[in-house]
Amino acid sequence: MSFSFTVEPAEFSKSQLNGIRLALGIAGAVAVGIGIAIFVWANATLLVVAWLFGLFFLIAGIARVVRSFTVPGASGGYRTLSVILGLLVVLAGVYLMINPDFGVDILAYIIGIAWIVEGVATLADSSSRASRAAAIVYAIVSIIGGVIIFFIPTTAVVILLKIAAIVLVIAGVVQIFQALTLGRRARAAQTA
């Protein structure tokens, strides 16, 4: 038994491809919006920041679970891993939204772990498609952001917010780019 963790857009129906692109675009736009909001609200309380991150992780996790069921021809191993990782990100998001008033250290650990999980899931999800490079960049940015935040939890909240905002904006822009480019090569080959 072998597991295949690659996904080819040429295998998608037009509606499946549009659904995946929409999910990527929405998750990217939410990430950019939250990143900008964190910059604008320099004096934001930890409560607001925790809730915003919870919302982001909730949406990103749900999008990952939905994508795992819409990939045609994906192996059971791929679907299982994608659902498990998506649910872990959803749980982190829900926990942050329900319990936003705990300390900076715990928030940093949850954010760091969730970003590392999201990055690993994105690496597992990447394939030889045209947007693979964007997926790999998103995964690396997510993992690096998670590691940085995980290992320096006691730094000032302002630094945490700036790092988080930068990672969110970069990751969001990359996801929007993925949404715009996913399936272009497959469509060009079909029309040629």
Side-chain angles (χ1 to χ4, degrees):
M1 171 186 255
S2 68
F3 295 108
S4 173
F5 291 110
T6 61
V7 177
E8 293 300 328
E11 298 173 2
F12 299 142
S13 70
K14 186 174 181 174
S15 65
Q16 289 171 324
L17 187 59
N18 287 338
I20 292 170
R21 292 176 71 198
L22 180 64
L24 283 170
I26 290 171
V30 167
V32 169
I34 292 172
I36 291 170
I38 291 170
F39 271 114
V40 172
W41 295 341
N43 296 327
T45 65
L46 187 56
L47 183 79
V48 172
V49 173
W51 198 88
L52 288 174
F53 271 105
L55 178 63
F56 169 71
F57 289 133
L58 179 68
I59 292 169
I62 290 170
R64 174 159 303 286
V65 170
V66 169
R67 281 194 317 250
S68 71
F69 290 110
T70 60
V71 175
S75 69
Y78 165 82
R79 291 184 197 281
T80 302
L81 177 64
S82 189
V83 167
I84 290 170
L85 293 174
L87 290 175
L88 287 172
V89 173
V90 166
L91 288 174
V94 169
Y95 187 78
L96 282 171
M97 291 176 76
I98 292 172
N99 302 302
D101 56 347
F102 51 88
V104 174
D105 289 352
I106 295 172
L107 174 63
Y109 290 136
I110 290 173
I111 291 169
I113 290 168
W115 267 343
I116 292 168
V117 167
E118 177 66 15
V120 169
T122 300
L123 280 177
D125 204 14
S126 66
S127 69
S128 61
R129 63 184 181 221
S131 63
R132 181 175 190 206
I136 291 171
V137 169
Y138 171 77
I140 290 170
V141 168
S142 183
I143 291 169
I144 289 172
V147 169
I148 289 170
I149 291 172
F150 188 80
F151 284 110
I152 56 170
T154 57
T155 57
V157 174
V158 174
I159 294 172
L160 175 66
L161 294 178
K162 298 294 183 184
I163 291 170
I166 290 167
V167 170
L168 279 173
V169 170
I170 292 170
V173 168
V174 171
Q175 280 188 310
I176 291 169
F177 177 77
Q178 280 183 287
L180 295 173
T181 61
L182 181 66
R184 276 191 180 170
R185 186 180 293 167
R187 283 194 313 268
Q190 290 173 349
T191 58

